[in-house]
């Protein structure tokens, strides 16, 4: 931000020895975002081939309804909404981590190949082993980590420079994408259709099992990212500055990479690659909260809201139900184009 | 257009290979191409004796092996030759036009534009004839080229990396839209599944005929603008000072690029990275003269494409890897090596 910071209104929450200092504007933005998410979630739960009223939805969620309405809301529609929220938040945080670490708004796991690598790992599990969901998560995680490691090492030349890493990632992404196309091509048509629908990033097949397992992973990873967020902000000033402030840079960076890739891989395993949410969410969050750098909580909330909205569009607004990833890639790609047009040209 | 004397460089500026070395290199490339053409007809999932291949080409009969040669390997080889040459020259054009060593019609999204347009033609308008969807491919390629050029131009001139990112962005958006179209139609999905991977297999030779005149026009255009492009390599101001008219040169180069990349995509689907690698090799052998770069690209690109195709047949015998996958695996490391160099912008 260009504005000079003359001291922003700050809230300090104290509980014994622990004190949390938060900016007032961030708190307000987060509250508004949460409200918007709640409204949109209720709307999403209402909409479908069997239309429900808002009262019925709230009653079903609080246990006031039984029978068909309860089944529709809790068993059919809620897993999807929960998945959109959880995965969106995970993607928002993952994007925020990479953008902060590489100090570049274009450093998106989808662009630098990590998502594509996760997809390759998961595809191999689907097509070769025909594995369970847990194996799928493992495959996606292994694929994403291996890609991250490969891209990092290839981009390393007396340190890693942001743009070099991005172009190396684009190369790796192209390679893995064509490998994925080939893997799909080798499969039977039915399996390939499923894999391709999943490859576009879809919440169609999401059931409570995946929400619970994916949610458990995310529930571990999000607090971990919260712990790392403070040194992460300090590292935005440069490694030397962070070191002088007492941050141990290498372990923190490793931790950030692991958490970031793991978040992306968890989502990819459950729903396929939902790209560009991780690119857009931190940027919108930063503009809304008017923070100097990337902040995690607003990014997570914006990610959840975007993902839910995109899934709503994909399911109910599009002429035929589409994978949510197609909506995010089209909208997010448009946003990336705008970003390139304004932001990148100013900086380069 | 005003005709221009070919741009000459001062002595010692860049070590330019002499005409002898260039000519010998071109001859060697031609020989290598001929060898690969023969190999491409000879090698395949079933072993067919060279004598049968000979008979198939010159004494046709109803023998089953002869069918395999005439209907399968020969079209594939000819397609590889033509599509490869088109991709190579398209790459050389886009690198010269954008002065960007990372430029490639695939990376910059031109292929994605063409294939999205073809999907629209096949899926929405029910066009099944290449004479019909060819025009869609041209339009898609042209629109994307102009978009990426606009997005990739910064106030200080053109940034290679921003342009690559613009290409990635366009590719992603159009890829998403294309998938949306394909997922709604299972038949179209199946028909375009192998086309999406970028392949020269199973395409009848008839696909090629409507495109050849356009390729010929594009080649003529490319060689026409080679002189002005040479001058523009030194910067727009220098080129203007030498009497180059920038707008017509760019326009002709963009038209040639559109015809080549759009046409190649319409026939073979998106085959990436060929246009990235080949001009660099050509520049490495022949120096910075665009005419020679184009001439070398015409020969080297089919060599790369046919070699990748033959490799894809041999590598996982008896199955096959589509040529687009092989070229991506060969080409992505080149992109990575280019960006790891000290001067990423040096062209």
């Amino acid at each position: 931000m260009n504005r000079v910071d003359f001291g922003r209104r700050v809230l300090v929450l104290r509980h014994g020895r622990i004190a949390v200092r938060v900016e007032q504007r961030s708190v307000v933005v987060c509250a508004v975002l949460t409200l918007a998410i709640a409204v949109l979630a209720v709307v999403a739960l209402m909409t479908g081939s069997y239309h429900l009223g808002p009262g019925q939805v709230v009653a079903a969620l609080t246990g006031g309804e039984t029978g068909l309405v309860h089944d529709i809301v809790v068993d059919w529609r809620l897993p999807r909404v929960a998945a959109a929220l959880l995965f969106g938040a995970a993607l928002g945080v993952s994007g925020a981590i990479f953008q902060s670490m590489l100090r570049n708004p274009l450093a998106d796991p989808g662009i630098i190949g990590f998502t594509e690598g996760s997809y390759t790992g998961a595809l191999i599990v689907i097509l070769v082993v025909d594995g369970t969901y847990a194996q799928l998560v493992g495959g996606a995680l292994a694929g994403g980590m291996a890609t991250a490691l490969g891209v990092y090492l290839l981009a390393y030349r007396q340190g890693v420079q942001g743009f070099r890493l991005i172009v190396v990632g684009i190369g790796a992404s192209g390679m893995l994408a064509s490998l994925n196309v080939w893997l799909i091509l080798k499969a039977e048509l039915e399996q390939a259709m499923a894999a391709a629908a999943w490859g576009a990033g879809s919440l169609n097949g999401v059931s409570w099992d995946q929400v619970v397992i994916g949610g458990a992973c995310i529930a571990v990873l999000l607090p971990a990212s919260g712990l790392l967020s403070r040194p992460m902000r300090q590292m935005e000033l440069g490694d030397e500055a962070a070191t002088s402030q007492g941050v141990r840079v290498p372990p923190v960076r490793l931790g950030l990479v692991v958490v970031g890739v793991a978040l992306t891989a968890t989502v990819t395993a459950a729903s396929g690659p939902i790209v560009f949410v991780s690119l857009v969410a931190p940027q919108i969050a930063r503009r809304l909260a008017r923070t100097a750098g990337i902040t995690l909580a607003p990014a997570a909330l914006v990610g959840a809201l975007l993902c839910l909205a995109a899934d709503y569009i994909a399911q109910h607004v599009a002429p035929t139900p589409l994978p949510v990833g197609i909506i995010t890639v089209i909208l997010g790609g448009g946003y990336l184009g705008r970003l390139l047009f304004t932001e990148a040209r100013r900086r380069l | 257009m005003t005709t221009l004397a070919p741009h000459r460089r001062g002595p010692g500026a860049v070590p330019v290979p002499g005409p002898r070395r260039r000519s010998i290199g071109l001859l060697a490339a031609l020989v290598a191409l001929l060898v690969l053409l023969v190999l491409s007809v000879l090698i395949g999932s079933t072993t067919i004796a060279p004598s049968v291949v000979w008979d198939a080409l010159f004494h046709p009969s109803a023998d089953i092996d002869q069918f395999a040669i005439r209907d399968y390997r020969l079209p594939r080889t000819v397609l590889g030759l033509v599509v490869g040459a088109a991709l190579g020259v398209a790459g050389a054009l886009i690198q010269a036009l954008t002065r960007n060593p990372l430029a490639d019609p695939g990376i910059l999204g031109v292929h994605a534009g063409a294939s999205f347009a073809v999907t629209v033609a096949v899926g929405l308008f029910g066009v099944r004839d290449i004479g019909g969807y060819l025009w869609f491919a041209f339009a898609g390629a042209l629109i994307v080229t102009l978009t990426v050029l606009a997005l990739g131009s910064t106030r200080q001139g053109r940034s290679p990396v921003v342009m690559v990112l613009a290409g990635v962005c366009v590719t992603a958006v159009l890829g998403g839209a294309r998938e949306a179209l394909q997922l709604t139609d299972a038949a179209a999905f199946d028909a375009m599944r192998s086309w999406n991977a970028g392949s020269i297999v199973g395409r009848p030779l008839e696909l090629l005929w409507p495109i050849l005149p356009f390729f010929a026009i594009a080649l003529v255009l490319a060689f026409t603008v080679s002189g002005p492009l040479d001058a523009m390599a030194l910067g727009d101001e220098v080129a203007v000072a030498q009497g180059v008219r920038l707008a017509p040169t760019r326009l002709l180069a963009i038209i040639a690029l559109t015809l080549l990349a759009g046409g190649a995509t319409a026939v073979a689907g998106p085959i990436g990275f060929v246009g990235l690698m080949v001009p660099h090799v050509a520049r490495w052998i022949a120096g910075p003269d665009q005419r020679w770069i184009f001439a070398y690209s015409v020969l080297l690109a089919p060599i790369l494409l046919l070699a990748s195709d033959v490799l894809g047949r041999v590598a996982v015998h008896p199955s096959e890897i589509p040529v687009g996958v092989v070229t991506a695996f060969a080409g992505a490391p080149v992109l990575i090596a280019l960006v790891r160099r000290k001067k990423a912008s040096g062209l």
Side-chain angles (χ1 to χ4, degrees):
Chain A
M1 297 299 297
N2 296 325
R3 289 195 328 177
V4 178
D5 190 352
F6 287 107
R8 321 237 329 244
R9 286 191 193 157
V10 165
L11 296 176
V12 180
L13 309 172
R14 254 180 232 288
H15 182 80
R17 287 165 55 92
I18 301 167
V20 181
R21 183 180 158 281
V22 284
E23 285 177 4
Q24 210 172 47
R25 187 178 169 98
S26 293
V27 175
V28 174
V29 166
C30 286
V32 173
L33 284 171
T34 312
L35 192 69
I37 288 172
V39 171
L40 189 60
V42 170
V43 172
L45 289 173
M46 280 158 52
T47 322
S49 48
Y50 186 86
H51 194 83
L52 298 171
Q56 285 172 298
V57 168
V58 175
L61 289 178
T62 50
E65 287 268 2
T66 48
L68 185 62
V69 173
H70 177 270
D71 288 350
I72 289 175
V73 172
V74 176
D75 292 342
W76 298 354
R77 292 182 190 165
L78 192 58
R80 192 173 179 134
V81 169
L85 292 176
L86 270 174
F87 296 166
L91 290 170
V93 170
S94 165
I97 288 175
F98 286 112
Q99 292 184 14
S100 163
M101 202 160 47
L102 296 165
R103 292 178 211 117
N104 193 313
L106 305 170
D108 177 66
I111 292 182
I112 51 184
F114 301 170
T115 313
E116 209 68 66
S118 302
Y119 184 33
T120 307
L123 263 186
I124 291 173
V125 171
I126 289 188
L127 299 179
V128 180
V129 194
D130 202 13
T132 62
Y133 176 65
Q135 286 171 319
L136 209 65
V137 176
L141 202 60
M145 287 291 178
T147 312
L149 185 70
V151 168
Y152 188 84
L153 287 180
L154 284 170
Y156 193 89
R157 240 187 89 135
Q158 295 149 14
V160 165
Q161 185 233 344
F163 270 120
R164 191 163 58 229
L165 187 117
I166 291 174
V167 177
V168 169
I170 289 172
S173 191
M175 218 156 128
L176 290 168
S178 70
L179 178 66
N180 294 342
V181 169
W182 181 54
L183 285 173
I184 291 178
L185 197 62
K186 277 185 64 78
E188 300 296 315
L189 177 61
E190 205 170 304
Q191 220 177 3
M193 271 298 257
W198 183 79
S202 171
L203 297 176
N204 273 342
V206 170
S207 64
W208 272 121
D209 288 348
Q210 286 155 339
V211 174
V212 169
I213 298 178
C217 293
I218 293 168
V220 175
L221 293 167
L222 283 188
S225 68
L227 286 179
L228 289 168
S229 76
R230 210 177 126 81
M232 180 184 97
R233 295 285 302 274
Q234 284 167 310
M235 276 160 57
E236 280 178 22
L237 300 171
D239 291 357
E240 290 84 359
T243 309
S244 73
Q245 290 183 337
V247 177
R248 286 168 53 209
V249 171
V252 170
R253 180 166 289 151
L254 182 69
L256 284 171
V257 171
V258 170
V259 170
V261 173
L263 283 169
T264 304
T266 309
V267 176
T268 306
S271 64
I274 302 178
V275 288
F276 284 156
V277 172
S278 47
L279 178 109
V280 175
Q283 292 297 315
I284 292 181
R286 203 185 63 152
R287 281 166 178 72
L288 285 179
R290 294 206 189 140
T291 49
I294 307 282
T295 39
L296 294 181
L301 290 172
V302 173
L305 184 62
L306 283 180
C307 209
L308 187 60
D311 192 46
Y312 187 84
I313 294 174
Q315 250 188 307
H316 303 302
V317 180
T320 44
L322 291 172
V324 58
I326 286 180
I327 303 296
T328 63
V329 81
I330 294 172
L331 296 181
Y335 187 84
L336 170 60
R338 219 204 64 157
L339 202 66
L340 282 172
F341 211 70
T342 56
E343 186 110 340
R345 65 173 46 205
R346 218 183 302 138
R347 285 195 188 179
L348 289 169
Chain B
M1 268 217 60
T2 48
T3 44
L4 289 155
H7 171 67
R8 307 222 181 276
R9 266 154 229 277
V14 189
V16 178
R20 249 181 83 98
R21 185 181 153 189
R22 282 173 172 166
S23 313
I24 292 173
L26 209 59
L27 207 63
L30 190 64
V31 172
L33 180 57
L34 290 176
V35 169
L36 267 167
L37 287 174
V38 173
L39 280 181
S40 172
V41 178
L42 283 182
I43 297 175
S45 47
T46 47
T47 322
I48 299 176
S51 60
V52 179
V53 174
W54 181 266
D55 285 346
L57 298 181
F58 300 103
H59 311 287
S61 70
D63 184 47
I64 186 90
D65 280 351
Q66 289 204 6
F67 270 120
I69 300 291
R70 275 200 308 273
D71 292 354
Y72 190 73
R73 286 193 206 162
L74 187 65
R76 171 174 198 173
T77 306
V78 176
L79 275 173
L81 177 71
V82 176
V83 169
L87 289 173
V89 178
L93 268 170
I94 203 166
Q95 286 181 9
L97 186 69
T98 59
R99 260 177 260 147
N100 181 349
L102 307 178
D104 165 75
I107 297 174
L108 293 192
V110 182
H111 291 335
S115 48
F116 172 69
V118 170
T119 310
V120 169
V122 173
L124 290 187
F125 296 101
V127 183
R128 290 285 187 271
D129 174 35
I130 183 150
Y133 64 71
L134 181 61
W135 292 100
F136 283 85
F138 287 154
L142 181 65
I143 292 168
V144 168
T145 308
L146 295 176
T147 311
V148 171
L149 283 177
L151 278 178
S153 311
T154 58
R155 230 173 285 149
Q156 294 85 29
R158 297 205 175 95
S159 154
V161 176
V162 173
M163 198 173 284
V164 169
L165 282 166
V168 170
C169 160
V170 169
T171 308
V173 173
L174 292 179
R178 197 188 68 202
E179 268 176 76
L181 277 176
Q182 286 180 3
L183 284 174
T184 50
D185 185 351
F189 174 81
D190 196 32
M192 304 197 79
R193 196 153 59 123
S194 82
W195 186 80
N196 280 336
S199 167
I200 49 176
V201 189
R203 313 271 200 278
L205 264 183
E206 285 74 48
L207 281 184
L208 210 51
W209 308 140
I211 291 178
L212 281 180
F214 293 106
F215 281 175
I217 295 171
L219 273 184
V220 172
L221 285 179
F223 280 98
T224 312
V225 295
S226 60
L229 284 177
D230 270 334
M232 279 161 67
L234 302 173
D236 288 353
E237 288 85 358
V238 179
V240 171
Q242 290 188 339
V244 171
R245 295 195 305 172
L246 295 178
T249 306
R250 289 213 179 101
L251 182 69
L252 290 183
I254 289 173
I255 291 174
L257 170 68
T258 303
L259 295 178
L260 291 169
T265 309
V267 181
I271 298 179
F273 293 107
V274 174
L276 175 76
M277 286 181 275
V278 166
H280 282 285
V281 179
R283 206 170 292 115
W284 178 58
I285 302 174
D289 190 331
Q290 269 316 323
R291 280 175 309 168
W292 284 94
I293 293 176
F294 287 144
Y296 268 96
S297 297
V298 168
L299 294 178
L300 290 178
I303 291 179
L304 176 68
L305 199 61
L306 288 173
S308 303
D309 191 39
V310 171
L311 192 68
R313 284 181 238 175
V314 182
V316 286
H317 189 88
S319 169
E320 287 194 3
I321 307 175
V323 64
V325 177
V326 180
T327 57
F329 266 78
V334 174
L335 177 71
I336 292 169
L338 283 173
V339 78
R340 274 177 65 86
R341 287 189 318 188
K342 281 229 171 65
K343 286 194 301 177
S345 55
L347 184 65

